[in-house]
Amino acid sequence: MSLPHQNVDEPPSDSSTEAGVEREHKQENEMSHDPVDLQDVERDTTEAETDIHPRKDLPTWKWIFTIIALGLGAMLYGLDTTIAADVQASVYEDLGDLENLPWIGIGFSMASVAVILFVGKSFSQFDVKWVSNSSVFVFEVGSAICGSAQSSNALVVGRVIAGMGGAGIALNYFSIFGTDKEAPLLNALIGVCWGIGAILGPVIGGAFSVSSASWRWAFYINLPLAALVSPIYFFVFPSHNPNPSKSVLQKLALLDWVGGILNIGIWVIFMVLLVMSGSRYAWDSAFSIALWIVWGVILIAFTLQQRLSLFTELRIYPVHFLRSRTLVLLYITTGCAAAANAVTLYYIPLFFQFTRNDTALDAAVRLLPFICTFIFFILLAGALLPVVPYYPPWYIVGSCLILAGGACMFTIDATSTNARVYGYEILIAAGSGLTFQNAYAIAAAKVPKEEKNSVIGFINVAQMGSTAIALSIGGSLYENVGFTFLKESLGQFGLPDPAIRSALAGVDSPLLTTASGQIKELAVDAVTRTISTLFAMLIAAGALGLVCASLMRWEKLKLERVAGG
């Protein structure tokens, strides 16, 4: 079977170190039963590979329909990642419970990253077609629960279920049936689809929230869209069973259930701590301290369990990737781009709602400069990656643009012109577009064929994990810093704390709809100051990305096949 092959010119200065790491890792894998390692082993294994095209028996029309369906799946995944950004005020008006609002957005991405490694390992054991279809089914169940929710708690549960299903809508088909020369463009196309969904999320959510259909159709919309392409999922998607010699029960027994449960605990508790500490519970409260201790214990247990491969022969976390400087730096830079993208998508519409009195739809439409620029630069980076021999420049330029855009957004206030904000959006969109998706193709080029599913999961964690963390930190800062700023501005009026805090829910909150002009003006200024403060996160992301990009190897990455086709 023909496997794609990459030739990577290693710098002489790193060769001895890399060789030592490879020898150590080979020894580790002999003990842990993990697939063997990266570039040195890749060069050995490819010598024995044949030149059969990975789609030798797959008709072209089936492959085209598969790409289209995967693109739509990625778009729905992106849509649900951000669709809550512009429906929160309507949800609050309908269901109440201000403290649950952050979970409508965070719950989806939290659940995705909590299970994405476990789902990734499932792709290495079970037929890719049925893992994908099962994931879509779970995603749709979660969407149905969200649309029919009669309480904010039910809505959050639906978001979590949908996020777990979304974790299986991944790029694994491309690692199986795509060639390495195709990988950058295919990954870019899926990244564009995800980006279109993520950026249209606030637009579609805002449109439904102000229509007679209500915010519920922001979640119900997934059902007819999935039904539209379900024949492709069931009858066209190619099958690939990576482990046909084992039964279903044997495969289930191989999965790392202990690691999967511990990983879920790490992400869920961490998100709870970030969101609830300071707003619902004081940082130094017994609850917060106890939860930090529990989180630390689970993190230590997971680290030991994964390092020693306890209770499993197929650990979910690719520990050996941490020995590769390139993979670690790709992980961090991808995370920085995802964080910048998430914060911009969530808080730019909110800025316009408060300062321009926009409807949810109008505010979301103001993201169009971001949408067009982000899509263009994802495609540009993906198309040119096989052409430009070095990849660090993409990350250096992209990180600089994120840093510049974040610094500019940090200076905005309620009087900032639309053109000024649009310009800053474009800087952030260009920077995040250049660095958002290429890591999938680069990382896949750095590992042998049997590691491609694992490396896709590794980068997925960077993307979704950073999105979840950024939204959680952003939500915590918005709640805590926003309340502080509002208290400073409105304290003279003797308003109760719950009323002051409710202003953060949006311009339709009880306080802002009934307040005098002076109170509303002061509240808007305080919230705007809060939103601008959040963009300090982009300054940090851009600076960290720039440091990591500067540490990347200046190596030629040749994305091409040896032969075949």
Side-chain angles (χ1 to χ4, degrees):
M1 179 177 180
S2 166
L3 301 179
H5 175 68
Q6 298 83 25
N7 297 315
V8 181
D9 298 335
E10 298 289 350
S13 59
D14 287 329
S15 59
S16 60
T17 303
E18 289 291 323
V21 169
E22 300 300 339
R23 284 193 296 271
E24 288 180 22
H25 180 59
K26 289 176 190 176
Q27 294 171 359
E28 176 190 345
N29 277 309
E30 289 173 1
M31 299 174 61
S32 65
H33 305 282
D34 265 9
V36 287
D37 191 49
L38 312 177
Q39 290 136 3
D40 289 342
V41 178
E42 180 188 7
R43 282 190 285 270
D44 292 339
T45 57
T46 52
E47 291 176 1
E49 292 170 358
T50 58
D51 294 331
I52 303 174
H53 195 280
R55 296 194 301 278
K56 176 178 176 291
D57 299 319
L58 181 65
T60 300
W61 70 269
K62 279 194 173 185
W63 180 236
I64 293 172
F65 275 101
T66 298
I67 293 174
I68 293 171
L70 289 172
L72 181 58
M75 188 178 72
L76 291 179
Y77 189 24
L79 188 76
D80 262 49
T81 302
T82 61
I83 202 164
D86 246 10
V87 303
Q88 295 189 31
S90 299
V91 170
Y92 176 65
E93 183 180 351
D94 194 9
L95 303 179
D97 201 348
L98 177 65
E99 291 175 332
N100 265 355
L101 283 186
W103 289 106
I104 300 172
I106 296 167
F108 182 87
S109 52
M110 177 197 73
S112 288
V113 72
V115 302
I116 206 163
L117 286 174
F118 187 83
V119 173
K121 282 298 181 185
S122 300
F123 278 106
S124 71
Q125 296 298 313
F126 297 94
D127 193 314
V128 62
K129 176 178 180 177
W130 297 111
V131 176
S132 296
N133 286 349
S134 299
S135 297
V136 171
F137 175 77
V138 174
F139 175 77
E140 296 302 320
V141 169
S143 299
I145 293 173
C146 289
S148 61
Q150 299 302 309
S151 69
S152 61
N153 288 331
L155 179 56
V156 171
V157 169
R159 292 288 286 162
V160 169
I161 293 174
M164 293 172 67
I169 306 174
L171 303 173
N172 299 74
Y173 265 102
F174 296 151
S175 69
I176 297 168
F177 295 102
T179 69
D180 287 348
K181 191 172 183 180
E182 297 166 341
L185 187 56
L186 289 173
N187 289 331
L189 287 172
I190 291 299
V192 166
C193 291
W194 187 93
I196 290 173
I199 294 170
L200 290 180
V203 178
I204 293 174
F208 280 124
S209 67
V210 299
S211 72
S212 58
S214 84
W215 59 267
R216 296 182 181 277
W217 268 93
F219 304 106
Y220 278 143
I221 190 65
N222 292 327
L223 303 179
L225 290 176
L228 183 66
V229 294
S230 59
I232 299 177
Y233 279 88
F234 285 103
F235 303 114
V236 176
F237 266 18
S239 293
H240 174 76
N241 187 350
N243 198 356
S245 63
K246 288 186 169 55
S247 67
V248 172
L249 290 178
Q250 288 174 321
K251 293 176 181 179
L252 288 172
L254 279 175
L255 295 179
D256 185 5
W257 296 97
V258 174
I261 292 170
L262 290 174
N263 189 55
I264 290 173
I266 289 170
W267 283 102
V268 171
I269 294 175
F270 187 58
M271 296 296 106
V272 168
L273 281 164
L274 287 178
V275 174
M276 292 188 175
S277 294
S279 56
R280 186 174 297 191
Y281 301 99
W283 286 99
D284 58 353
S285 67
F287 173 85
S288 296
I289 294 172
L291 213 54
W292 276 115
I293 294 172
V294 171
W295 180 78
V297 170
I298 294 177
L299 179 61
I300 293 170
F302 179 74
T303 302
L304 292 175
Q305 189 261 343
Q306 292 295 296
R307 179 66 183 85
L308 302 175
S309 294
L310 299 175
F311 311 111
T312 185
E313 295 184 357
L314 194 69
R315 61 192 180 191
I316 62 170
Y317 193 86
V319 177
H320 55 290
F321 287 172
L322 300 180
R323 295 175 179 268
S324 168
R325 186 176 83 187
T326 298
L327 295 184
V328 171
L329 295 176
L330 288 172
Y331 182 101
I332 297 172
T333 49
T334 300
C336 291
N341 181 272
V343 172
T344 305
L345 286 176
Y346 262 76
Y347 292 102
I348 288 287
L350 197 61
F351 168 82
F352 282 114
Q353 283 182 278
F354 274 104
T355 61
R356 308 297 190 268
N357 204 29
D358 280 356
T359 65
L361 177 58
D362 291 335
V365 169
R366 293 185 188 273
L367 280 170
L368 284 174
F370 189 95
I371 295 173
C372 298
T373 307
F374 182 73
I375 291 172
F376 174 80
F377 278 94
I378 280 186
L379 284 174
L380 178 69
L384 294 183
L385 184 61
V387 179
V388 178
Y390 300 97
Y391 55 85
W394 299 111
Y395 291 91
I396 292 173
V397 174
S399 297
C400 287
L401 291 172
I402 291 172
L403 177 58
C408 291
M409 283 299 298
F410 189 73
T411 68
I412 62 172
D413 55 33
T415 63
S416 298
T417 64
N418 292 347
R420 182 177 161 190
V421 178
Y422 294 156
Y424 301 160
E425 282 183 36
I426 289 171
L427 286 176
I428 298 168
S432 56
L434 287 174
T435 56
F436 190 79
Q437 197 73 8
N438 271 355
Y440 287 102
I442 299 168
K446 302 290 287 184
V447 300
K449 182 72 174 180
E450 63 271 18
E451 295 275 22
K452 290 187 185 296
N453 278 332
S454 294
V455 87
I456 287 172
F458 186 71
I459 301 300
N460 273 338
V461 170
Q463 216 173 62
M464 289 307 300
S466 297
T467 297
I469 291 173
L471 292 180
S472 298
I473 294 174
S476 181
L477 289 173
Y478 183 70
E479 290 282 336
N480 292 289
V481 176
F483 177 72
T484 299
F485 287 166
L486 284 166
K487 188 80 170 174
E488 291 174 357
S489 300
L490 305 179
Q492 58 183 305
F493 298 100
L495 297 170
D497 286 356
I500 293 175
R501 191 179 291 277
S502 73
L504 296 168
V507 291
D508 294 328
S509 64
L511 175 65
L512 296 184
T513 53
T514 60
S516 66
Q518 182 185 8
I519 290 177
K520 185 172 182 178
E521 182 179 350
L522 290 171
V524 168
D525 286 340
V527 174
T528 304
R529 189 153 46 109
T530 302
I531 293 172
S532 66
T533 301
L534 296 181
F535 283 89
M537 296 169 61
L538 271 68
I539 298 175
L544 178 59
L546 182 58
V547 170
C548 291
S550 301
L551 295 174
M552 288 179 175
R553 291 192 182 94
W554 284 73
E555 59 186 2
K556 292 182 179 179
L557 190 71
K558 297 181 181 178
L559 296 166
E560 59 188 15
R561 292 178 55 80
V562 177

